[in-house]
Amino acid sequence: MGLQQPEIRNPLTVTSDTTKPLIKNDSTKANIATEDTARIPGADTIPVVRIDSFNIKISKDSLDGPVKYQAEDSAVVLIKGQKIILYGKTKTEYKDITLTAPKVEMDQRTQIVTAVNTKDSTGGTIEPAIFKSSDNEFTSDTIEFNFKNQVGLTKNTFTQDGEIFVNGEVAKKVNENTTFIKRARFTTCNLDEPHFAFVTPKMKVINQKLAVSGPAHPEFEGVPVPIYLPFGFYPLSQGRHSGLLPPQFTANEQFGLGLEGLGYYKVFSDYWDAKVYGNIYSYGGWSMNINPTYRKRYRYRGAFNFAIQNTKQNFKGDPDFFNNRSYSITWNHSVDSRARPGTNFSASVNAGSTKFNQLVPNSNQVNFQNQLGSSITYSKSWINKPYNLTVSANHNQNNRTRLINVSFPNVGFTMNTIYPFQKKDFAGTLKWYQKLGIGYNGNFRNQVSFYDTAFKFKNLIDTMQWGAQHNFPIVTSLPPLFNGALIVSPGVSYSQVWIAQKFRRKWNSATQKLDTTVTKGFFADHQMTFSLSFNTAVYGTYQFKKSRVIAIRHVIRPSLSINYRPDLSKSHYYMDTVNTSGLVLPFSEFEGALYSGFSRGRTGGLGFQLDNNLEMKYRSKKDTGENAIKKIKIIDGYGFSTSYNFLADSLKLTPLNFYLRTTLFEKISITASTILNPYQVNAVGIPIDKYAWEGGKFKLGTLTSGSISVSSNFRSKPKDEAKEKQRQQELDNLSQEPGLIGDQQRLLEYMAQNPSEFVDFNIPWQLNLSYSLSFSNRINSDYTGFEKDFNSNVSFNGSFNLTPKWNFSANGYYDFDTKKLQSFSMSISRDMHCWQLSINVVPVGIYRSFNFSISPKASLLQDLKINRTRYFSNF
């Protein structure tokens, strides 16, 4: 029976002839607000009502809350069938559930709501039916949902859970969290027609927990691949959860075939977790890592890693067979400053066997890391008191020389400057003696040294040293002179060191060598200094006319100091012969101690320093008005410093120290320094009491050491500014998240080893360059002469997009001294939307390697990758 066209009438009311409710039901209350209403003429009751701009709220005793229906277009009420049909942009709300669709039908008797989409003439979807709740959201062609028992049935459904997208022909929701799907297709590609997917005839999904499927096979571009898995288990829970760590297959020329990264990750609680993983190789080598992390918000956080590797290269009996067992320990711990104000404990430990870094495969940066250091520190500051205490343990080692130094315990105590003659409550101007202040800082250290190749407890005792240092600075402040143009600062300081041993050299005429003796005991050295310094600043500005350069300002900051220091260390110096030619040199008997004592001789002279900087003000072409005036620094700082000792017997003028630092065009950073010796030197390279310009030849002096470094970073503008800001924000959030400190370290290590997997295609090109040059004069160990050592190197890294989807990157380090490319790696990457391909080659270094990898971008499928790696040793 066709629906009769209703007759529109006014006034805007809808009633039945019997004046009963619109839909008869004792437990139903209906409130209808309409702009236009209609009824079928001549009917005893109202079988059909059409209502425009519909808004109805129905409260059911059988439900936990009201159901709200809205339709922007119109609604049809079937009185006898107790149904309401909504048209247009409809919206149905119940508790946390929202259903939107172009057409919705509500059956009041069964509490089933049916929503359908609209399609065009070609079958394409114009407007889908969308279901939203607090924990999931999906779109479908058809949705049938029962508000009473929370059961629903959908057709051709698309939904997303985390990084995974699921499409099912038919889906049945049996409760709030569980859904069964018939012929499911799931992927991490967000396209309507995904590049790849896994297809299974049946699947069960538990929201935010897991998905279980029957037999599944992959398909690419809609083409099925005949590789079947009997079942699938896919974790969907957010955050941390325990599980196996899948290995990666590799092949190495020296280690053989291997599996890397095999292990297990365990979450013990919200406060700590641990990862145990390792590598195993066919030649017998293996490694194991134990990596727990812990955190407690607003209290502390940290990460620990213990690694042991048993390295076997080649087969036993092979001339190149090598076997070594080494270990490494890292620990990072920090405390939130709000946990215990005034008290802090921190740790940064990086120690291990001196061969460990060299034997780590596929990690050029680690292979060349020869300096390791550790520090564990406890500090306390007394609130409203000038006292500070620090207790620490330190370690440093040189993997090249294999020397290890351990310093524990180290104690430092500081008393900030106090003014003993100043009253707590005073009024008026302070007198000069009330401005006198005194402070204290002291340090106590213990240290042992050993070589890991010759470790013996007896040798450890022999190398044990201890020492202490005390400083008592006395300061006062004088009023500025000449309206603040000249600052005068007097100062007095007393220092003392405690030393545990004396070290003396003596020439042995029989062996023609220097013999050394060490005397244990308690020894002390003292120093007293008096100083008076003057500081000012001179400004000079040059104005330009008819130029975009408005002015250049030159700032000169001269500093002059008068100082006096008596010779309290004379008894701790001696003279002795050092070679067969009879050369005699002075030595300190505290040489090699933790605190080496103070210099010999009286000091009474002047110290001078001249610091400069240049600034420019110009008018930019890019702006107008006041915004167009810009300031830049041409040279951040340059100058020199020296001193003259009137009381010295010889060499009264100390070497001149020159320096310069600047940033050109806000891109190129330059730092340079050098030391100029104004005296002539003998054949050994030791200065003699004769100026360089004396003797008929004009010469300012000899450069004894110097360095210059130049670095720059060039990069293009990002293609998408918003995307770049979002990436920076994500990195900032990651660095500030206390629970991810261990993951950050592992991620940085992985990024360093696999740069091709972290290509930013949003930056078309970037280039980082760094060059350094240094030199110094080094006296030969037998005092027969000196040599000038030069070190020069350049490091670079950069990348550029060959096309919008192809990127090439490279990084390397070239040593000009050895004229060799010490390290170099290059990679090429392809952005495949939801997948990424990378090829990485390391052609030089201790370990050369080739790696090919293709993998999904989603972290959920990070282990589903095709990887081929080959290593080649070069030592």
Side-chain angles (χ1 to χ4, degrees):
M1 178 177 179
L3 180 65
Q4 293 179 290
Q5 180 64 33
E7 176 186 307
I8 306 299
R9 65 164 188 168
N10 281 312
L12 305 179
T13 59
V14 176
T15 60
S16 67
D17 294 341
T18 58
T19 66
K20 292 182 179 180
L22 177 65
I23 300 178
K24 185 177 180 179
N25 191 316
D26 294 338
S27 62
T28 302
K29 297 179 182 178
N31 299 316
I32 304 176
T34 70
E35 295 180 358
D36 296 296
T37 62
R39 64 180 296 177
I40 303 299
D44 294 334
T45 60
I46 305 177
V48 179
V49 177
R50 174 175 172 175
I51 307 168
D52 295 333
S53 300
F54 182 85
N55 188 343
I56 183 170
K57 177 179 179 181
I58 297 179
S59 299
K60 288 288 298 174
D61 294 339
S62 59
L63 299 178
D64 295 335
V67 183
K68 297 180 181 179
Y69 299 90
Q70 296 178 4
E72 292 186 5
D73 190 0
S74 61
V76 174
V77 180
L78 304 178
I79 301 298
K80 292 183 179 180
Q82 296 191 23
K83 294 182 180 180
I84 298 176
I85 304 174
L86 311 180
Y87 295 93
K89 294 184 178 180
T90 70
K91 185 177 183 181
T92 305
E93 294 179 314
Y94 171 67
K95 296 174 65 173
D96 64 340
I97 298 173
T98 301
L99 178 63
T100 59
K103 179 183 176 182
V104 171
E105 178 181 312
M106 179 197 69
D107 190 326
Q108 187 184 7
R109 290 173 299 184
T110 62
Q111 295 301 320
I112 294 177
V113 174
T114 303
V116 295
N117 65 355
T118 55
K119 297 184 178 182
D120 56 21
S121 59
T122 62
T125 300
I126 299 176
E127 185 177 355
I130 302 175
F131 179 95
K132 292 182 181 180
S133 65
S134 59
D135 55 357
N136 67 348
E137 175 182 349
F138 57 83
T139 62
S140 303
D141 289 350
T142 303
I143 299 176
E144 294 183 14
F145 186 76
N146 190 315
F147 283 117
K148 186 175 182 179
N149 57 22
Q150 302 288 297
V151 174
L153 186 68
T154 66
K155 296 181 179 180
N156 194 22
T157 301
F158 293 85
T159 185
Q160 179 181 3
D161 198 330
E163 292 181 303
I164 191 169
F165 298 88
V166 181
N167 168 234
E169 289 187 4
V170 180
K172 182 177 181 180
K173 185 178 178 68
V174 297
N175 56 46
E176 292 186 14
N177 299 316
T178 307
T179 303
F180 290 90
I181 303 175
K182 177 183 178 182
R183 187 159 178 82
R185 178 179 283 102
F186 53 97
T187 179
T188 57
C189 183
N190 60 0
L191 297 181
D192 292 338
E193 296 183 2
H195 293 113
F196 80 101
F198 293 90
V199 181
T200 180
K202 53 186 177 179
M203 188 176 192
K204 178 181 179 180
V205 178
I206 301 177
N207 293 339
Q208 305 298 324
K209 288 187 177 181
L210 59 90
V212 181
S213 74
H217 70 275
E219 66 176 22
F220 292 90
E221 298 290 353
V223 179
V225 178
I227 300 176
Y228 283 84
L229 298 175
F231 63 91
F233 184 88
Y234 316 96
L236 301 176
S237 57
Q238 303 297 314
R240 302 174 301 134
H241 53 276
S242 303
L244 291 171
L245 301 174
Q248 175 180 309
F249 177 78
T250 185
N252 188 293
E253 184 182 28
Q254 298 297 321
F255 297 93
L257 303 178
L259 296 175
E260 297 181 341
L262 176 64
Y264 189 81
Y265 174 72
K266 174 67 177 177
V267 178
F268 293 97
S269 69
D270 292 338
Y271 302 108
W272 76 289
D273 53 43
K275 185 170 76 166
V276 179
Y277 62 98
N279 308 329
I280 185 169
Y281 303 97
S282 60
Y283 289 172
W286 54 269
S287 68
M288 184 180 69
N289 291 263
I290 303 175
N291 178 212
T293 63
Y294 55 91
R295 83 285 301 161
K296 192 169 185 180
R297 191 175 294 274
Y298 308 122
R299 296 295 299 276
Y300 55 80
R301 58 185 178 271
F304 179 86
N305 184 73
F306 174 75
I308 181 170
Q309 61 181 6
N310 185 63
T311 305
K312 285 187 178 181
Q313 298 176 353
N314 300 309
F315 289 106
K316 197 170 185 178
D318 191 291
D320 296 326
F321 176 75
F322 175 80
N323 188 9
N324 175 269
R325 180 168 294 183
S326 56
Y327 69 91
S328 172
I329 297 175
T330 61
W331 179 35
N332 294 282
H333 178 89
S334 62
V335 175
D336 195 309
S337 59
R338 295 166 291 187
R340 297 184 62 187
T343 302
N344 185 52
F345 177 78
S346 63
S348 177
V349 177
N350 187 8
S353 305
T354 55
K355 281 286 186 180
F356 184 90
N357 285 358
Q358 181 183 347
L359 297 174
V360 174
N362 194 30
S363 182
N364 287 338
Q365 293 184 351
V366 175
N367 296 151
F368 288 97
Q369 186 179 358
N370 290 321
Q371 297 291 335
L372 301 182
S374 306
S375 175
I376 303 174
T377 306
Y378 168 82
S379 63
K380 179 175 178 57
S381 299
W382 281 264
I383 299 175
N384 299 324
K385 293 184 179 180
Y387 310 119
N388 301 280
L389 173 68
T390 301
V391 181
S392 65
N394 300 290
H395 144 272
N396 66 79
Q397 68 182 66
N398 187 314
N399 291 343
R400 187 175 60 85
T401 62
R402 312 192 75 172
L403 176 64
I404 300 174
N405 299 312
V406 179
S407 181
F408 171 79
N410 302 327
V411 180
F413 183 80
T414 301
M415 182 185 72
N416 298 330
T417 303
I418 61 174
Y419 298 89
F421 303 109
Q422 189 177 117
K423 297 180 180 180
K424 292 184 178 180
D425 300 321
F426 65 91
T429 305
L430 293 174
K431 300 183 181 298
W432 68 270
Y433 61 86
Q434 293 178 319
K435 298 180 180 179
L436 283 174
I438 184 171
Y440 169 78
N441 61 80
N443 295 280
F444 177 82
R445 292 175 55 196
N446 292 272
Q447 180 176 293
V448 293
S449 302
F450 59 92
Y451 291 92
D452 69 343
T453 54
F455 177 81
K456 292 183 180 180
F457 185 76
K458 181 179 181 300
N459 296 339
L460 201 67
I461 297 298
D462 292 340
T463 63
M464 184 178 295
Q465 293 190 65
W466 63 269
Q469 184 178 40
H470 311 275
N471 295 300
F472 298 87
I474 302 173
V475 298
T476 187
S477 59
L478 299 179
L481 304 178
F482 308 111
N483 296 324
L486 183 64
I487 306 298
V488 182
S489 304
V492 179
S493 178
Y494 172 76
S495 302
Q496 184 184 72
V497 293
W498 296 348
I499 301 171
Q501 67 179 28
K502 287 184 178 180
F503 183 89
R504 296 187 70 95
R505 291 180 172 88
K506 188 170 182 60
W507 179 253
N508 189 326
S509 57
T511 60
Q512 300 292 298
K513 292 182 179 180
L514 281 170
D515 293 336
T516 59
T517 57
V518 177
T519 305
K520 300 284 187 178
F522 175 80
F523 310 97
D525 197 6
H526 311 266
Q527 177 177 263
M528 191 80 178
T529 61
F530 305 86
S531 64
L532 182 65
S533 63
F534 304 88
N535 298 275
T536 188
V538 181
Y539 299 87
T541 304
Y542 183 82
Q543 302 285 345
F544 290 85
K545 296 181 180 180
K546 297 180 181 181
S547 174
R548 287 195 173 273
V549 178
I550 300 174
I552 292 180
R553 187 174 73 166
H554 181 200
V555 182
I556 305 174
R557 296 183 177 86
S559 176
L560 179 68
S561 63
I562 303 173
N563 54 79
Y564 172 74
R565 181 180 64 86
D567 187 5
L568 303 179
S569 304
K570 182 178 180 180
S571 60
H572 302 303
Y573 282 83
Y574 64 96
M575 307 286 290
D576 209 330
T577 305
V578 296
N579 57 19
T580 55
S581 61
L583 178 65
V584 178
L585 294 177
F587 295 98
S588 169
E589 61 183 5
F590 296 143
E591 182 182 355
L594 292 182
Y595 299 99
S596 57
F598 304 104
S599 58
R600 64 169 185 160
R602 294 185 305 162
T603 299
L606 297 175
F608 181 74
Q609 179 176 351
L610 187 66
D611 183 57
N612 303 259
N613 77 294
L614 285 176
E615 297 178 341
M616 183 176 69
K617 184 186 293 185
Y618 71 100
R619 189 178 302 278
S620 175
K621 295 181 179 180
K622 298 180 180 180
D623 295 309
T624 58
E626 294 296 329
N627 295 330
I629 299 177
K630 308 291 183 182
K631 291 182 180 179
I632 61 170
K633 289 185 177 181
I634 302 176
I635 301 179
D636 296 335
Y638 66 97
F640 71 95
S641 63
T642 186
S643 62
Y644 192 89
N645 185 5
F646 293 99
L647 302 181
D649 296 332
S650 60
L651 306 177
K652 296 183 177 182
L653 181 64
T654 61
L656 285 78
N657 186 358
F658 294 88
Y659 62 90
L660 178 144
R661 60 185 184 277
T662 186
T663 302
L664 301 179
F665 315 111
E666 299 182 352
K667 284 292 184 182
I668 304 175
S669 177
I670 302 175
T671 303
S673 64
T674 187
I675 296 178
L676 177 68
N677 177 26
Y679 293 96
Q680 299 179 21
V681 297
N682 58 17
V684 181
I686 300 174
I688 60 177
D689 192 19
K690 198 172 184 179
Y691 288 112
W693 50 84
E694 293 181 330
K697 291 184 179 181
F698 179 77
K699 187 178 180 182
L700 293 178
T702 304
L703 297 177
T704 59
S705 65
S707 65
I708 182 172
S709 61
V710 182
S711 62
S712 185
N713 179 12
F714 302 96
R715 62 182 299 177
S716 63
K717 293 183 178 180
K719 297 178 181 178
D720 189 338
E721 294 283 354
K723 185 177 180 180
E724 177 65 13
K725 289 181 180 180
Q726 181 182 358
R727 187 184 71 88
Q728 291 293 340
Q729 184 64 39
E730 290 175 352
L731 291 176
D732 293 341
N733 294 339
L734 179 65
S735 62
Q736 296 172 5
E737 176 59 40
L740 299 178
I741 183 171
D743 295 335
Q744 293 174 35
Q745 184 64 32
R746 291 191 295 270
L747 177 61
L748 291 175
E749 293 176 359
Y750 186 82
M751 290 175 66
Q753 297 178 19
N754 305 273
S756 57
E757 296 185 22
F758 299 88
V759 176
D760 187 0
F761 285 90
N762 194 38
I763 305 296
W765 63 269
Q766 58 181 337
L767 177 64
N768 299 323
L769 294 172
S770 177
Y771 172 78
S772 65
L773 169 68
S774 62
F775 68 91
S776 62
N777 290 343
R778 176 178 54 85
I779 298 178
N780 296 334
S781 58
D782 57 359
Y783 299 97
T784 57
F786 71 95
E787 296 180 1
K788 191 177 290 291
D789 293 332
F790 278 90
N791 292 290
S792 179
N793 60 77
V794 61
S795 61
F796 57 91
N797 67 80
S799 66
F800 64 92
N801 293 346
L802 300 171
T803 69
K805 298 296 183 181
W806 283 96
N807 178 275
F808 176 82
S809 61
N811 67 82
Y813 173 86
Y814 184 83
D815 190 340
F816 290 97
D817 187 31
T818 59
K819 297 181 180 179
K820 289 183 178 180
L821 189 63
Q822 299 291 350
S823 67
F824 178 73
S825 65
M826 56 184 176
S827 61
I828 187 167
S829 303
R830 174 68 162 88
D831 184 3
M832 304 169 65
H833 185 255
C834 49
W835 287 65
Q836 181 163 306
L837 177 147
S838 63
I839 301 174
N840 188 42
V841 180
V842 180
V844 298
I846 297 178
Y847 290 105
R848 295 169 289 126
S849 64
F850 170 84
N851 171 266
F852 171 87
S853 176
I854 179 170
S855 61
K857 290 183 178 179
S859 59
L860 181 68
L861 302 177
Q862 61 180 348
D863 298 312
L864 182 66
K865 61 180 179 181
I866 301 172
N867 183 80
R868 178 60 172 167
T869 303
R870 291 293 303 272
Y871 299 118
F872 309 92
S873 64
N874 190 29
F875 59 88

